[in-house]
Amino acid sequence: MNNSEILFIYDAKLCNPNGDPDDENRPRMDYERERNLVSDLRLKRYIRDYLEENGYEIFVTKPDGKTVNATDRLKLLIEKSNKKIDLNKFKEDDVNWLLSQLIDVRLFGATMPIKSDTAKGSSLVFTGPVQFNWGYSLNKVRLVDSNGITSHFSSERENSQGAMGKDYRVYYSLIAFHGIISASRAKHTMMSDGDIKLLEEAIIKAIPLQATRSKIGQYPRLFVRVEYKDNGFMIGDLRDCVEPDKVDELREIDDFKLDITRLSTVLGENANRINKVYFWQDEKLVTKSNGNEGRFDKVVNLSDDMIQEIKY
Protein backbone atom coordinates (compact mmCIF):
# COMPACT_ATOMS: atom_id res chain seq x y z
CA MET A 1 0.00 0.00 0.00
CA ASN A 2 1.19 3.51 -0.84
CA ASN A 3 0.22 7.03 0.15
CA SER A 4 -2.73 8.60 -1.64
CA GLU A 5 -4.40 11.98 -1.86
CA ILE A 6 -8.12 12.49 -2.44
CA LEU A 7 -10.15 15.20 -4.11
CA PHE A 8 -13.89 14.89 -3.59
CA ILE A 9 -16.43 17.36 -4.95
CA TYR A 10 -20.20 17.32 -4.46
CA ASP A 11 -22.87 19.96 -4.74
CA ALA A 12 -25.77 21.10 -2.60
CA LYS A 13 -28.87 22.77 -3.97
CA LEU A 14 -31.55 24.38 -1.78
CA CYS A 15 -30.49 22.45 1.31
CA ASN A 16 -28.31 22.77 4.42
CA PRO A 17 -25.02 20.90 3.89
CA ASN A 18 -23.81 21.26 7.50
CA GLY A 19 -25.76 23.22 10.10
CA ASP A 20 -23.92 25.07 12.87
CA PRO A 21 -25.60 24.31 16.23
CA ASP A 22 -24.03 27.47 17.70
CA ASP A 23 -25.69 29.64 15.05
CA GLU A 24 -29.35 28.50 14.90
CA ASN A 25 -28.29 25.61 12.66
CA ARG A 26 -27.47 27.98 9.80
CA PRO A 27 -25.19 26.50 7.14
CA ARG A 28 -21.59 26.90 8.24
CA MET A 29 -20.13 29.90 6.43
CA ASP A 30 -16.98 31.91 5.99
CA TYR A 31 -18.92 35.14 5.57
CA GLU A 32 -15.90 37.27 4.64
CA ARG A 33 -15.19 35.10 1.57
CA GLU A 34 -18.83 34.04 1.03
CA ARG A 35 -17.81 30.39 1.18
CA ASN A 36 -19.86 27.52 2.54
CA LEU A 37 -18.04 25.24 5.03
CA VAL A 38 -18.56 21.56 5.86
CA SER A 39 -16.72 19.80 8.68
CA ASP A 40 -14.72 16.62 8.18
CA LEU A 41 -16.92 14.99 10.84
CA ARG A 42 -19.98 15.52 8.64
CA LEU A 43 -18.31 13.69 5.75
CA LYS A 44 -17.10 10.86 8.02
CA ARG A 45 -20.64 10.49 9.40
CA TYR A 46 -21.97 9.93 5.88
CA ILE A 47 -19.31 7.29 5.32
CA ARG A 48 -19.89 5.54 8.65
CA ASP A 49 -23.66 5.45 8.20
CA TYR A 50 -23.34 4.02 4.68
CA LEU A 51 -20.95 1.29 5.82
CA GLU A 52 -23.12 0.42 8.80
CA GLU A 53 -26.24 0.17 6.64
CA ASN A 54 -24.31 -2.25 4.44
CA GLY A 55 -23.52 -4.61 7.30
CA TYR A 56 -20.15 -3.39 8.59
CA GLU A 57 -19.43 -2.93 12.29
CA ILE A 58 -18.87 0.70 13.26
CA PHE A 59 -17.29 1.89 16.51
CA VAL A 60 -18.65 5.46 16.46
CA THR A 61 -22.36 4.73 16.30
CA LYS A 62 -25.54 4.42 18.34
CA PRO A 63 -26.30 0.70 18.81
CA ASP A 64 -30.04 0.16 18.43
CA GLY A 65 -30.43 3.93 18.31
CA LYS A 66 -29.13 4.38 21.86
CA THR A 67 -26.29 6.68 22.90
CA VAL A 68 -23.56 4.74 24.69
CA ASN A 69 -20.05 5.57 25.86
CA ALA A 70 -16.95 4.01 24.32
CA THR A 71 -16.61 1.36 27.03
CA ASP A 72 -20.20 0.17 26.63
CA ARG A 73 -19.79 0.12 22.85
CA LEU A 74 -16.81 -2.23 23.20
CA LYS A 75 -18.66 -4.44 25.66
CA LEU A 76 -21.59 -4.76 23.25
CA LEU A 77 -19.25 -5.72 20.42
CA ILE A 78 -17.49 -8.35 22.55
CA GLU A 79 -20.78 -9.80 23.79
CA LYS A 80 -22.17 -9.93 20.24
CA SER A 81 -19.13 -11.89 19.08
CA ASN A 82 -19.10 -14.23 22.10
CA LYS A 83 -15.44 -13.40 22.70
CA LYS A 84 -13.79 -13.78 26.10
CA ILE A 85 -11.84 -10.55 26.36
CA ASP A 86 -10.95 -8.53 29.45
CA LEU A 87 -11.10 -4.79 28.71
CA ASN A 88 -8.56 -4.24 31.49
CA LYS A 89 -6.04 -6.63 29.99
CA PHE A 90 -6.07 -6.53 26.21
CA LYS A 91 -3.52 -8.75 24.47
CA GLU A 92 -2.04 -8.16 21.02
CA ASP A 93 -4.32 -10.80 19.49
CA ASP A 94 -7.30 -9.05 21.07
CA VAL A 95 -6.25 -5.74 19.52
CA ASN A 96 -5.90 -7.35 16.11
CA TRP A 97 -9.34 -8.93 16.46
CA LEU A 98 -10.85 -5.60 17.44
CA LEU A 99 -9.37 -3.86 14.41
CA SER A 100 -10.59 -6.64 12.15
CA GLN A 101 -14.15 -5.96 13.36
CA LEU A 102 -14.33 -2.16 13.13
CA ILE A 103 -13.85 -0.69 9.68
CA ASP A 104 -14.22 2.93 10.80
CA VAL A 105 -11.33 2.49 13.26
CA ARG A 106 -9.19 0.99 10.52
CA LEU A 107 -10.00 4.04 8.36
CA PHE A 108 -10.31 6.98 10.74
CA GLY A 109 -8.74 5.77 13.98
CA ALA A 110 -10.15 6.09 17.50
CA THR A 111 -9.28 6.41 21.16
CA MET A 112 -10.49 3.39 23.11
CA PRO A 113 -10.67 3.21 26.94
CA ILE A 114 -8.88 -0.13 27.23
CA LYS A 115 -5.58 -1.22 28.69
CA SER A 116 -3.33 -3.12 26.35
CA ASP A 117 -0.06 -4.99 26.54
CA THR A 118 0.99 -3.10 23.40
CA ALA A 119 0.34 0.44 24.62
CA LYS A 120 1.07 2.57 27.69
CA GLY A 121 -1.65 4.32 29.67
CA SER A 122 -5.33 3.61 30.16
CA SER A 123 -6.40 4.13 26.55
CA LEU A 124 -5.50 2.56 23.25
CA VAL A 125 -5.03 5.23 20.58
CA PHE A 126 -5.19 4.60 16.84
CA THR A 127 -4.37 7.48 14.52
CA GLY A 128 -6.43 6.99 11.39
CA PRO A 129 -4.65 6.66 8.05
CA VAL A 130 -7.56 8.44 6.32
CA GLN A 131 -7.92 12.10 7.20
CA PHE A 132 -9.91 14.95 5.67
CA ASN A 133 -9.72 18.64 6.39
CA TRP A 134 -12.82 20.82 6.37
CA GLY A 135 -14.57 21.12 3.05
CA TYR A 136 -15.38 24.48 1.51
CA SER A 137 -17.30 25.72 -1.49
CA LEU A 138 -15.45 26.59 -4.67
CA ASN A 139 -18.11 29.19 -5.46
CA LYS A 140 -19.57 32.14 -3.61
CA VAL A 141 -22.60 30.95 -1.65
CA ARG A 142 -25.66 32.83 -0.51
CA LEU A 143 -28.34 31.72 1.89
CA VAL A 144 -31.93 31.46 0.70
CA ASP A 145 -33.61 34.77 1.48
CA SER A 146 -36.73 33.29 3.07
CA ASN A 147 -36.09 30.97 6.01
CA GLY A 148 -39.33 30.92 7.99
CA ILE A 149 -41.35 27.72 8.30
CA THR A 150 -44.67 27.02 9.95
CA SER A 151 -45.80 23.78 11.56
CA HIS A 152 -49.47 22.82 11.61
CA PHE A 153 -48.91 21.57 15.14
CA SER A 154 -48.97 24.31 17.75
CA SER A 155 -46.14 24.65 20.27
CA GLU A 156 -48.67 25.13 23.09
CA ARG A 157 -52.23 23.83 23.45
CA GLU A 158 -53.58 27.40 23.58
CA ASN A 159 -51.77 28.35 20.37
CA SER A 160 -53.99 27.56 17.39
CA GLN A 161 -51.75 29.30 14.84
CA GLY A 162 -49.05 26.65 14.66
CA ALA A 163 -45.36 26.93 15.57
CA MET A 164 -42.90 29.12 13.67
CA GLY A 165 -39.32 28.04 13.05
CA LYS A 166 -36.26 28.72 10.93
CA ASP A 167 -35.10 26.63 7.99
CA TYR A 168 -31.79 27.91 6.64
CA ARG A 169 -30.60 26.70 3.24
CA VAL A 170 -28.08 27.60 0.55
CA TYR A 171 -29.04 28.35 -3.04
CA TYR A 172 -26.12 26.37 -4.47
CA SER A 173 -22.79 25.20 -3.08
CA LEU A 174 -20.04 23.30 -4.93
CA ILE A 175 -18.22 21.71 -2.00
CA ALA A 176 -14.68 20.31 -2.23
CA PHE A 177 -12.81 18.11 0.25
CA HIS A 178 -9.13 17.20 0.32
CA GLY A 179 -8.02 14.02 2.04
CA ILE A 180 -4.93 11.89 2.56
CA ILE A 181 -4.30 8.17 3.05
CA SER A 182 -1.14 7.40 5.00
CA ALA A 183 0.47 4.05 4.21
CA SER A 184 2.51 4.03 7.42
CA ARG A 185 -0.55 4.60 9.61
CA ALA A 186 -2.46 1.95 7.67
CA LYS A 187 -0.05 -0.67 9.04
CA HIS A 188 -1.00 0.22 12.62
CA THR A 189 -4.76 0.04 12.03
CA MET A 190 -4.60 -2.96 9.66
CA MET A 191 -6.33 -1.02 6.89
CA SER A 192 -6.31 -2.99 3.65
CA ASP A 193 -6.63 -2.19 -0.06
CA GLY A 194 -10.15 -3.62 0.21
CA ASP A 195 -10.95 -1.05 2.89
CA ILE A 196 -9.85 1.72 0.52
CA LYS A 197 -12.24 0.40 -2.14
CA LEU A 198 -15.05 0.45 0.43
CA LEU A 199 -14.09 3.99 1.37
CA GLU A 200 -14.30 5.04 -2.28
CA GLU A 201 -17.69 3.39 -2.64
CA ALA A 202 -19.02 5.06 0.49
CA ILE A 203 -17.78 8.52 -0.50
CA ILE A 204 -19.36 8.27 -3.93
CA LYS A 205 -22.66 6.67 -2.89
CA ALA A 206 -23.38 7.79 0.67
CA ILE A 207 -24.51 11.41 0.43
CA PRO A 208 -27.63 11.04 -1.76
CA LEU A 209 -28.56 7.79 0.00
CA GLN A 210 -28.30 9.41 3.45
CA ALA A 211 -30.61 12.30 2.55
CA THR A 212 -32.83 13.83 5.22
CA ARG A 213 -35.27 16.74 4.87
CA SER A 214 -32.47 19.31 5.26
CA LYS A 215 -29.89 17.32 3.26
CA ILE A 216 -31.84 16.25 0.17
CA GLY A 217 -30.43 17.98 -2.91
CA GLN A 218 -26.79 16.89 -2.56
CA TYR A 219 -25.02 14.79 -5.21
CA PRO A 220 -21.44 13.63 -5.76
CA ARG A 221 -19.84 15.12 -8.88
CA LEU A 222 -16.14 14.18 -8.92
CA PHE A 223 -13.87 11.82 -6.98
CA VAL A 224 -10.13 11.57 -7.65
CA ARG A 225 -7.58 9.50 -5.76
CA VAL A 226 -3.92 9.95 -6.64
CA GLU A 227 -1.88 6.95 -5.53
CA TYR A 228 1.86 7.59 -5.28
CA LYS A 229 4.90 5.42 -5.80
CA ASP A 230 6.96 7.31 -3.22
CA ASN A 231 5.61 7.34 0.34
CA GLY A 232 7.74 10.38 1.09
CA PHE A 233 5.86 12.62 -1.34
CA MET A 234 2.47 14.29 -1.68
CA ILE A 235 1.39 17.06 -4.03
CA GLY A 236 -0.70 18.87 -1.41
CA ASP A 237 -4.23 20.23 -1.30
CA LEU A 238 -5.66 19.30 -4.70
CA ARG A 239 -8.48 21.83 -4.33
CA ASP A 240 -5.95 24.55 -5.16
CA CYS A 241 -5.78 23.06 -8.66
CA VAL A 242 -9.48 23.18 -9.63
CA GLU A 243 -12.07 25.94 -9.94
CA PRO A 244 -15.42 26.52 -11.64
CA ASP A 245 -15.17 28.91 -14.58
CA LYS A 246 -17.90 30.92 -12.90
CA VAL A 247 -17.97 31.43 -9.13
CA ASP A 248 -20.83 33.83 -8.49
CA GLU A 249 -24.62 33.50 -8.77
CA LEU A 250 -24.54 29.75 -9.37
CA ARG A 251 -27.85 27.94 -8.98
CA GLU A 252 -27.22 24.53 -10.55
CA ILE A 253 -24.56 22.35 -12.13
CA ASP A 254 -25.35 23.54 -15.66
CA ASP A 255 -24.22 27.07 -14.74
CA PHE A 256 -20.48 26.29 -14.92
CA LYS A 257 -17.70 24.00 -16.10
CA LEU A 258 -15.00 22.76 -13.76
CA ASP A 259 -11.56 23.95 -14.87
CA ILE A 260 -8.92 21.35 -13.98
CA THR A 261 -6.07 22.85 -16.02
CA ARG A 262 -3.79 23.32 -13.01
CA LEU A 263 -4.57 19.83 -11.74
CA SER A 264 -3.74 18.37 -15.13
CA THR A 265 -0.46 20.28 -15.18
CA VAL A 266 0.66 19.27 -11.70
CA LEU A 267 -0.24 15.62 -12.28
CA GLY A 268 1.72 15.64 -15.52
CA GLU A 269 4.73 17.27 -13.87
CA ASN A 270 4.76 14.57 -11.17
CA ALA A 271 3.81 11.60 -13.35
CA ASN A 272 7.05 9.79 -12.45
CA ARG A 273 5.95 9.80 -8.79
CA ILE A 274 2.40 8.63 -9.44
CA ASN A 275 1.44 4.98 -9.58
CA LYS A 276 -2.21 5.39 -10.60
CA VAL A 277 -5.00 7.99 -10.65
CA TYR A 278 -8.45 6.61 -9.85
CA PHE A 279 -11.47 8.73 -10.71
CA TRP A 280 -15.26 8.78 -10.78
CA GLN A 281 -17.20 11.55 -12.50
CA ASP A 282 -20.90 12.32 -12.62
CA GLU A 283 -22.16 12.62 -16.18
CA LYS A 284 -23.69 16.04 -15.49
CA LEU A 285 -20.33 17.59 -14.56
CA VAL A 286 -18.30 19.03 -17.43
CA THR A 287 -14.55 19.26 -16.85
CA LYS A 288 -12.16 21.23 -19.02
CA SER A 289 -8.39 21.65 -19.29
CA ASN A 290 -6.36 23.93 -21.56
CA GLY A 291 -9.48 24.73 -23.57
CA ASN A 292 -10.51 21.10 -24.06
CA GLU A 293 -13.78 19.86 -22.61
CA GLY A 294 -14.68 16.29 -21.71
CA ARG A 295 -14.41 13.67 -19.01
CA PHE A 296 -11.57 13.84 -16.51
CA ASP A 297 -9.60 11.03 -18.18
CA LYS A 298 -9.91 12.67 -21.60
CA VAL A 299 -8.55 16.10 -20.64
CA VAL A 300 -5.99 15.36 -17.92
CA ASN A 301 -2.29 15.28 -18.86
CA LEU A 302 -1.55 11.61 -18.11
CA SER A 303 -1.17 8.48 -20.20
CA ASP A 304 -4.19 6.19 -20.43
CA ASP A 305 -2.48 3.40 -18.48
CA MET A 306 -2.07 5.72 -15.47
CA ILE A 307 -5.78 6.50 -15.18
CA GLN A 308 -8.44 4.08 -13.98
CA GLU A 309 -12.16 4.83 -13.85
CA ILE A 310 -14.12 3.74 -10.81
CA LYS A 311 -17.44 2.22 -11.90
CA TYR A 312 -20.56 1.60 -9.82
Side-chain angles (χ1 to χ4, degrees), residues 104-310:
D104 63 330
V105 179
R106 298 199 300 273
L107 293 172
F108 306 132
T111 298
M112 298 183 176
I114 54 180
K115 296 180 180 180
S116 168
D117 293 340
T118 62
K120 297 180 181 179
S122 59
S123 294
L124 191 61
V125 179
F126 298 100
T127 302
V130 179
Q131 298 296 335
F132 296 97
N133 48 17
W134 275 42
Y136 59 76
S137 65
L138 300 176
N139 64 306
K140 293 184 178 181
V141 172
R142 291 174 175 80
L143 301 188
V144 174
D145 297 328
S146 176
N147 53 53
I149 56 173
T150 304
S151 168
H152 287 291
F153 295 97
S154 62
S155 57
E156 301 291 343
R157 289 185 177 180
E158 293 78 10
N159 182 2
S160 60
Q161 299 299 315
M164 293 294 294
K166 297 293 184 180
D167 185 19
Y168 298 102
R169 296 173 182 245
V170 300
Y171 279 111
Y172 186 84
S173 180
L174 185 67
I175 301 160
F177 272 91
H178 172 250
I180 63 167
I181 300 177
S182 168
S184 60
R185 292 177 189 167
K187 295 178 182 178
H188 297 292
T189 67
M190 295 173 52
M191 186 183 73
S192 66
D193 290 327
D195 291 336
I196 294 178
K197 296 302 180 184
L198 283 172
L199 173 70
E200 291 177 344
E201 177 184 335
I203 290 175
I204 294 168
K205 290 186 174 182
I207 291 178
L209 295 178
Q210 300 291 331
T212 61
R213 180 181 175 276
S214 67
K215 298 293 184 288
I216 190 169
Q218 300 184 120
Y219 296 96
R221 299 304 185 186
L222 181 66
F223 174 89
V224 178
R225 178 168 69 90
V226 182
E227 182 185 77
Y228 297 106
K229 295 177 180 178
D230 180 1
N231 281 338
F233 172 78
M234 285 192 181
I235 289 174
D237 197 331
L238 300 176
R239 294 174 296 185
D240 295 336
C241 302
V242 299
E243 60 182 350
D245 58 5
K246 179 182 177 183
V247 298
D248 204 1
E249 298 182 357
L250 299 185
R251 291 295 185 268
E252 56 188 59
I253 195 168
D254 294 334
D255 290 343
F256 68 92
K257 296 178 178 65
L258 186 67
D259 192 332
I260 62 170
T261 301
R262 282 181 290 173
L263 180 59
S264 176
T265 299
V266 75
L267 291 177
E269 291 173 347
N270 292 282
N272 63 323
R273 289 179 153 177
I274 296 172
N275 182 45
K276 188 79 73 174
V277 175
Y278 301 88
F279 86 98
W280 174 91
Q281 182 172 345
D282 181 70
E283 61 181 12
K284 293 182 179 179
L285 176 68
V286 177
T287 49
K288 67 177 187 178
S289 175
N290 293 308
N292 298 316
E293 297 181 3
R295 286 199 328 170
F296 176 88
D297 57 330
K298 302 303 181 184
V299 299
V300 75
N301 185 28
L302 290 173
S303 60
D304 291 344
D305 62 329
M306 291 186 64
I307 305 175
Q308 182 171 324
E309 183 181 6
I310 301 170

